[in-house]
Each structure stands twice: as C-alpha cells, then as structure tokens.
mmCIF file of all heavy atoms in Angstrom:
data_model
loop_
_atom_site.group_PDB
_atom_site.id
_atom_site.type_symbol
_atom_site.label_atom_id
_atom_site.label_comp_id
_atom_site.label_asym_id
_atom_site.label_seq_id
_atom_site.Cartn_x
_atom_site.Cartn_y
_atom_site.Cartn_z
ATOM 1 N N THR A 1 0.868 -1.173 0.000
ATOM 2 C CA THR A 1 0.000 0.000 0.000
ATOM 3 C C THR A 1 0.903 1.221 0.000
ATOM 4 O O THR A 1 1.819 1.312 0.821
ATOM 5 C CB THR A 1 -0.908 0.026 1.239
ATOM 6 O OG1 THR A 1 -1.590 -1.238 1.364
ATOM 7 C CG2 THR A 1 -1.938 1.145 1.155
ATOM 8 N N VAL A 2 0.647 2.163 -0.907
ATOM 9 C CA VAL A 2 1.530 3.325 -1.012
ATOM 10 C C VAL A 2 0.691 4.576 -1.234
ATOM 11 O O VAL A 2 -0.280 4.568 -1.998
ATOM 12 C CB VAL A 2 2.559 3.133 -2.153
ATOM 13 C CG1 VAL A 2 1.883 3.063 -3.515
ATOM 14 C CG2 VAL A 2 3.636 4.202 -2.125
ATOM 15 N N ASN A 3 1.054 5.658 -0.563
ATOM 16 C CA ASN A 3 0.342 6.925 -0.700
ATOM 17 C C ASN A 3 0.840 7.648 -1.955
ATOM 18 O O ASN A 3 2.015 7.986 -2.061
ATOM 19 C CB ASN A 3 0.586 7.816 0.523
ATOM 20 C CG ASN A 3 0.045 7.203 1.790
ATOM 21 O OD1 ASN A 3 -1.011 6.575 1.796
ATOM 22 N ND2 ASN A 3 0.770 7.372 2.892
ATOM 23 N N VAL A 4 -0.081 7.888 -2.885
ATOM 24 C CA VAL A 4 0.232 8.657 -4.083
ATOM 25 C C VAL A 4 -0.312 10.061 -3.858
ATOM 26 O O VAL A 4 -1.520 10.259 -3.713
ATOM 27 C CB VAL A 4 -0.381 8.023 -5.338
ATOM 28 C CG1 VAL A 4 0.090 8.765 -6.589
ATOM 29 C CG2 VAL A 4 0.005 6.544 -5.440
ATOM 30 N N LEU A 5 0.579 11.044 -3.812
ATOM 31 C CA LEU A 5 0.225 12.397 -3.402
ATOM 32 C C LEU A 5 -0.504 13.153 -4.511
ATOM 33 O O LEU A 5 -0.459 12.755 -5.681
ATOM 34 C CB LEU A 5 1.482 13.151 -2.987
ATOM 35 C CG LEU A 5 2.313 12.522 -1.870
ATOM 36 C CD1 LEU A 5 3.513 13.388 -1.553
ATOM 37 C CD2 LEU A 5 1.474 12.275 -0.627
ATOM 38 N N PRO A 6 -1.167 14.261 -4.167
ATOM 39 C CA PRO A 6 -1.848 15.057 -5.183
ATOM 40 C C PRO A 6 -0.908 15.463 -6.317
ATOM 41 O O PRO A 6 0.198 15.951 -6.071
ATOM 42 C CB PRO A 6 -2.338 16.283 -4.409
ATOM 43 C CG PRO A 6 -2.453 15.816 -2.997
ATOM 44 C CD PRO A 6 -1.359 14.818 -2.809
ATOM 45 N N MET A 7 -1.341 15.216 -7.551
ATOM 46 C CA MET A 7 -0.604 15.582 -8.766
ATOM 47 C C MET A 7 0.776 14.915 -8.843
ATOM 48 O O MET A 7 1.628 15.346 -9.618
ATOM 49 C CB MET A 7 -0.459 17.107 -8.876
ATOM 50 C CG MET A 7 -1.783 17.855 -8.812
ATOM 51 S SD MET A 7 -3.019 17.278 -10.009
ATOM 52 C CE MET A 7 -2.297 17.805 -11.544
ATOM 53 N N GLN A 8 0.985 13.852 -8.081
ATOM 54 C CA GLN A 8 2.265 13.141 -8.090
ATOM 55 C C GLN A 8 2.230 11.989 -9.079
ATOM 56 O O GLN A 8 1.186 11.355 -9.293
ATOM 57 C CB GLN A 8 2.574 12.578 -6.698
ATOM 58 C CG GLN A 8 3.906 11.810 -6.612
ATOM 59 C CD GLN A 8 4.075 11.052 -5.301
ATOM 60 O OE1 GLN A 8 3.116 10.480 -4.786
ATOM 61 N NE2 GLN A 8 5.275 11.060 -4.760
ATOM 62 N N THR A 9 3.385 11.687 -9.680
ATOM 63 C CA THR A 9 3.575 10.465 -10.445
ATOM 64 C C THR A 9 4.523 9.572 -9.670
ATOM 65 O O THR A 9 5.605 10.003 -9.259
ATOM 66 C CB THR A 9 4.153 10.767 -11.838
ATOM 67 O OG1 THR A 9 3.211 11.542 -12.579
ATOM 68 C CG2 THR A 9 4.430 9.485 -12.605
ATOM 69 N N LEU A 10 4.107 8.342 -9.438
ATOM 70 C CA LEU A 10 4.881 7.400 -8.627
ATOM 71 C C LEU A 10 4.837 6.047 -9.315
ATOM 72 O O LEU A 10 3.771 5.603 -9.754
ATOM 73 C CB LEU A 10 4.308 7.320 -7.214
ATOM 74 C CG LEU A 10 5.016 6.422 -6.193
ATOM 75 C CD1 LEU A 10 4.910 7.035 -4.791
ATOM 76 C CD2 LEU A 10 4.401 5.021 -6.179
ATOM 77 N N ALA A 11 5.993 5.379 -9.401
ATOM 78 C CA ALA A 11 6.079 4.078 -10.065
ATOM 79 C C ALA A 11 6.427 2.992 -9.071
ATOM 80 O O ALA A 11 7.170 3.220 -8.107
ATOM 81 C CB ALA A 11 7.116 4.120 -11.187
ATOM 82 N N ILE A 12 5.895 1.802 -9.320
ATOM 83 C CA ILE A 12 6.193 0.632 -8.489
ATOM 84 C C ILE A 12 6.589 -0.520 -9.397
ATOM 85 O O ILE A 12 6.125 -0.622 -10.532
ATOM 86 C CB ILE A 12 4.986 0.228 -7.622
ATOM 87 C CG1 ILE A 12 3.770 -0.111 -8.486
ATOM 88 C CG2 ILE A 12 4.643 1.337 -6.625
ATOM 89 C CD1 ILE A 12 2.573 -0.664 -7.714
ATOM 90 N N ASP A 13 7.489 -1.364 -8.895
ATOM 91 C CA ASP A 13 7.907 -2.573 -9.608
ATOM 92 C C ASP A 13 7.457 -3.793 -8.824
ATOM 93 O O ASP A 13 7.527 -3.814 -7.580
ATOM 94 C CB ASP A 13 9.426 -2.618 -9.753
ATOM 95 C CG ASP A 13 9.941 -1.740 -10.883
ATOM 96 O OD1 ASP A 13 9.112 -1.158 -11.608
ATOM 97 O OD2 ASP A 13 11.172 -1.636 -11.034
ATOM 98 N N LEU A 14 7.019 -4.821 -9.535
ATOM 99 C CA LEU A 14 6.627 -6.071 -8.886
ATOM 100 C C LEU A 14 6.964 -7.236 -9.781
ATOM 101 O O LEU A 14 7.112 -7.089 -11.004
ATOM 102 C CB LEU A 14 5.131 -6.060 -8.562
ATOM 103 C CG LEU A 14 4.177 -5.973 -9.756
ATOM 104 C CD1 LEU A 14 3.470 -7.302 -9.985
ATOM 105 C CD2 LEU A 14 3.164 -4.871 -9.566
ATOM 106 N N ASP A 15 7.098 -8.400 -9.171
ATOM 107 C CA ASP A 15 7.320 -9.637 -9.910
ATOM 108 C C ASP A 15 6.015 -10.418 -9.957
ATOM 109 O O ASP A 15 5.358 -10.618 -8.927
ATOM 110 C CB ASP A 15 8.408 -10.482 -9.241
ATOM 111 C CG ASP A 15 9.787 -9.869 -9.388
ATOM 112 O OD1 ASP A 15 10.016 -9.145 -10.376
ATOM 113 O OD2 ASP A 15 10.643 -10.099 -8.505
ATOM 114 N N THR A 16 5.633 -10.853 -11.145
ATOM 115 C CA THR A 16 4.375 -11.582 -11.308
ATOM 116 C C THR A 16 4.611 -13.065 -11.019
ATOM 117 O O THR A 16 4.872 -13.858 -11.913
ATOM 118 C CB THR A 16 3.816 -11.379 -12.716
ATOM 119 O OG1 THR A 16 4.828 -11.694 -13.686
ATOM 120 C CG2 THR A 16 3.370 -9.942 -12.917
ATOM 121 N N ASP A 17 4.513 -13.390 -9.739
ATOM 122 C CA ASP A 17 4.809 -14.745 -9.278
ATOM 123 C C ASP A 17 3.648 -15.376 -8.518
ATOM 124 O O ASP A 17 3.830 -16.366 -7.822
ATOM 125 C CB ASP A 17 6.059 -14.735 -8.397
ATOM 126 C CG ASP A 17 5.951 -13.765 -7.232
ATOM 127 O OD1 ASP A 17 4.867 -13.180 -7.029
ATOM 128 O OD2 ASP A 17 6.957 -13.574 -6.514
ATOM 129 N N ASN A 18 2.439 -14.802 -8.661
ATOM 130 C CA ASN A 18 1.285 -15.299 -7.911
ATOM 131 C C ASN A 18 0.047 -15.215 -8.804
ATOM 132 O O ASN A 18 -0.716 -14.263 -8.734
ATOM 133 C CB ASN A 18 1.095 -14.473 -6.634
ATOM 134 C CG ASN A 18 0.198 -15.158 -5.621
ATOM 135 O OD1 ASN A 18 -0.083 -16.357 -5.722
ATOM 136 N ND2 ASN A 18 -0.274 -14.411 -4.644
ATOM 137 N N PRO A 19 -0.180 -16.219 -9.648
ATOM 138 C CA PRO A 19 -1.214 -16.108 -10.682
ATOM 139 C C PRO A 19 -2.626 -15.995 -10.116
ATOM 140 O O PRO A 19 -2.931 -16.481 -9.026
ATOM 141 C CB PRO A 19 -1.041 -17.402 -11.487
ATOM 142 C CG PRO A 19 -0.355 -18.351 -10.565
ATOM 143 C CD PRO A 19 0.531 -17.504 -9.708
ATOM 144 N N GLY A 20 -3.464 -15.322 -10.895
ATOM 145 C CA GLY A 20 -4.860 -15.163 -10.517
ATOM 146 C C GLY A 20 -5.393 -13.813 -10.937
ATOM 147 O O GLY A 20 -4.846 -13.157 -11.829
ATOM 148 N N GLN A 21 -6.472 -13.407 -10.294
ATOM 149 C CA GLN A 21 -7.118 -12.121 -10.535
ATOM 150 C C GLN A 21 -6.992 -11.287 -9.262
ATOM 151 O O GLN A 21 -7.465 -11.712 -8.197
ATOM 152 C CB GLN A 21 -8.591 -12.332 -10.900
ATOM 153 C CG GLN A 21 -8.801 -13.215 -12.123
ATOM 154 C CD GLN A 21 -8.181 -12.621 -13.372
ATOM 155 O OE1 GLN A 21 -8.527 -11.509 -13.763
ATOM 156 N NE2 GLN A 21 -7.274 -13.354 -14.008
ATOM 157 N N TRP A 22 -6.387 -10.113 -9.354
ATOM 158 C CA TRP A 22 -6.031 -9.367 -8.152
ATOM 159 C C TRP A 22 -6.541 -7.931 -8.231
ATOM 160 O O TRP A 22 -6.236 -7.213 -9.179
ATOM 161 C CB TRP A 22 -4.514 -9.360 -7.966
ATOM 162 C CG TRP A 22 -3.943 -10.736 -7.833
ATOM 163 C CD1 TRP A 22 -3.271 -11.448 -8.778
ATOM 164 C CD2 TRP A 22 -4.010 -11.582 -6.675
ATOM 165 N NE1 TRP A 22 -2.899 -12.672 -8.280
ATOM 166 C CE2 TRP A 22 -3.345 -12.785 -6.988
ATOM 167 C CE3 TRP A 22 -4.554 -11.426 -5.400
ATOM 168 C CZ2 TRP A 22 -3.218 -13.839 -6.085
ATOM 169 C CZ3 TRP A 22 -4.427 -12.474 -4.490
ATOM 170 C CH2 TRP A 22 -3.773 -13.654 -4.836
ATOM 171 N N LEU A 23 -7.269 -7.515 -7.219
ATOM 172 C CA LEU A 23 -7.794 -6.161 -7.171
ATOM 173 C C LEU A 23 -6.668 -5.162 -6.922
ATOM 174 O O LEU A 23 -5.750 -5.411 -6.145
ATOM 175 C CB LEU A 23 -8.837 -6.052 -6.059
ATOM 176 C CG LEU A 23 -9.886 -4.937 -6.194
ATOM 177 C CD1 LEU A 23 -10.772 -5.196 -7.397
ATOM 178 C CD2 LEU A 23 -10.722 -4.836 -4.922
ATOM 179 N N ALA A 24 -6.749 -4.011 -7.587
ATOM 180 C CA ALA A 24 -5.888 -2.854 -7.321
ATOM 181 C C ALA A 24 -6.823 -1.678 -7.101
ATOM 182 O O ALA A 24 -7.698 -1.420 -7.929
ATOM 183 C CB ALA A 24 -4.948 -2.588 -8.492
ATOM 184 N N HIS A 25 -6.643 -0.972 -5.977
ATOM 185 C CA HIS A 25 -7.645 0.044 -5.646
ATOM 186 C C HIS A 25 -7.129 1.042 -4.635
ATOM 187 O O HIS A 25 -6.120 0.819 -3.956
ATOM 188 C CB HIS A 25 -8.909 -0.633 -5.090
ATOM 189 C CG HIS A 25 -8.709 -1.341 -3.785
ATOM 190 N ND1 HIS A 25 -9.095 -0.810 -2.578
ATOM 191 C CD2 HIS A 25 -8.163 -2.550 -3.485
ATOM 192 C CE1 HIS A 25 -8.810 -1.662 -1.604
ATOM 193 N NE2 HIS A 25 -8.235 -2.721 -2.126
ATOM 194 N N CYS A 26 -7.848 2.152 -4.530
ATOM 195 C CA CYS A 26 -7.603 3.114 -3.466
ATOM 196 C C CYS A 26 -8.173 2.565 -2.178
ATOM 197 O O CYS A 26 -9.323 2.099 -2.139
ATOM 198 C CB CYS A 26 -8.250 4.450 -3.818
ATOM 199 S SG CYS A 26 -8.099 5.695 -2.505
ATOM 200 N N HIS A 27 -7.384 2.641 -1.083
ATOM 201 C CA HIS A 27 -7.853 2.088 0.185
ATOM 202 C C HIS A 27 -8.630 3.100 1.023
ATOM 203 O O HIS A 27 -8.934 2.841 2.181
ATOM 204 C CB HIS A 27 -6.709 1.489 1.001
ATOM 205 C CG HIS A 27 -7.112 0.215 1.685
ATOM 206 N ND1 HIS A 27 -7.724 0.187 2.916
ATOM 207 C CD2 HIS A 27 -7.039 -1.067 1.276
ATOM 208 C CE1 HIS A 27 -7.980 -1.060 3.261
ATOM 209 N NE2 HIS A 27 -7.581 -1.844 2.271
ATOM 210 N N ASN A 28 -8.958 4.257 0.439
ATOM 211 C CA ASN A 28 -10.051 5.046 0.995
ATOM 212 C C ASN A 28 -11.318 4.287 0.631
ATOM 213 O O ASN A 28 -11.648 4.131 -0.557
ATOM 214 C CB ASN A 28 -10.062 6.448 0.383
ATOM 215 C CG ASN A 28 -11.150 7.328 0.956
ATOM 216 O OD1 ASN A 28 -12.310 6.945 1.021
ATOM 217 N ND2 ASN A 28 -10.778 8.538 1.349
ATOM 218 N N ALA A 29 -12.038 3.754 1.630
ATOM 219 C CA ALA A 29 -13.161 2.861 1.362
ATOM 220 C C ALA A 29 -14.201 3.504 0.461
ATOM 221 O O ALA A 29 -14.817 2.827 -0.379
ATOM 222 C CB ALA A 29 -13.797 2.428 2.684
ATOM 223 N N TYR A 30 -14.402 4.812 0.617
ATOM 224 C CA TYR A 30 -15.434 5.502 -0.148
ATOM 225 C C TYR A 30 -14.989 5.760 -1.582
ATOM 226 O O TYR A 30 -15.785 5.655 -2.520
ATOM 227 C CB TYR A 30 -15.842 6.782 0.580
ATOM 228 C CG TYR A 30 -16.440 6.441 1.922
ATOM 229 C CD1 TYR A 30 -15.665 6.451 3.080
ATOM 230 C CD2 TYR A 30 -17.758 6.036 2.029
ATOM 231 C CE1 TYR A 30 -16.196 6.079 4.306
ATOM 232 C CE2 TYR A 30 -18.304 5.671 3.248
ATOM 233 C CZ TYR A 30 -17.511 5.685 4.385
ATOM 234 O OH TYR A 30 -18.051 5.298 5.589
ATOM 235 N N HIS A 31 -13.718 6.066 -1.783
ATOM 236 C CA HIS A 31 -13.215 6.221 -3.139
ATOM 237 C C HIS A 31 -13.295 4.889 -3.895
ATOM 238 O O HIS A 31 -13.666 4.854 -5.079
ATOM 239 C CB HIS A 31 -11.770 6.703 -3.126
ATOM 240 C CG HIS A 31 -11.611 8.094 -2.608
ATOM 241 N ND1 HIS A 31 -10.372 8.709 -2.506
ATOM 242 C CD2 HIS A 31 -12.506 9.005 -2.157
ATOM 243 C CE1 HIS A 31 -10.533 9.922 -2.017
ATOM 244 N NE2 HIS A 31 -11.820 10.124 -1.799
ATOM 245 N N GLY A 32 -12.932 3.805 -3.219
ATOM 246 C CA GLY A 32 -13.008 2.501 -3.868
ATOM 247 C C GLY A 32 -14.423 2.154 -4.286
ATOM 248 O O GLY A 32 -14.675 1.734 -5.421
#
C-alpha cells in the first residue's frame, strides 16, 4: 500500500509470481 500524493507520479515494480485475478484500488473505502 503506497500513498500517491496530489498531482504526483509514482512508479512501483513487482514480480508476477502469484497467478490469478487481483484487485488494485484506493484504500479510501469511499473512493473505492
């Protein structure tokens, strides 16, 4: 979980080692 600031561009790297369908979302419950 990472905070992306207003008007910020932020990159993340990951290894795809866990197959399936995975949600990506804002963890503000109301925004999600």
Side-chain angles (χ1 to χ4, degrees):
T1 308
V2 65
N3 297 322
V4 186
L5 303 181
M7 305 307 291
Q8 180 190 39
T9 296
L10 182 146
I12 60 174
D13 281 356
L14 63 108
D15 290 332
T16 52
D17 55 6
N18 197 15
Q21 302 298 302
W22 300 103
L23 204 66
H25 65 102
C26 176
H27 220 274
N28 182 310
Y30 297 96
H31 293 179

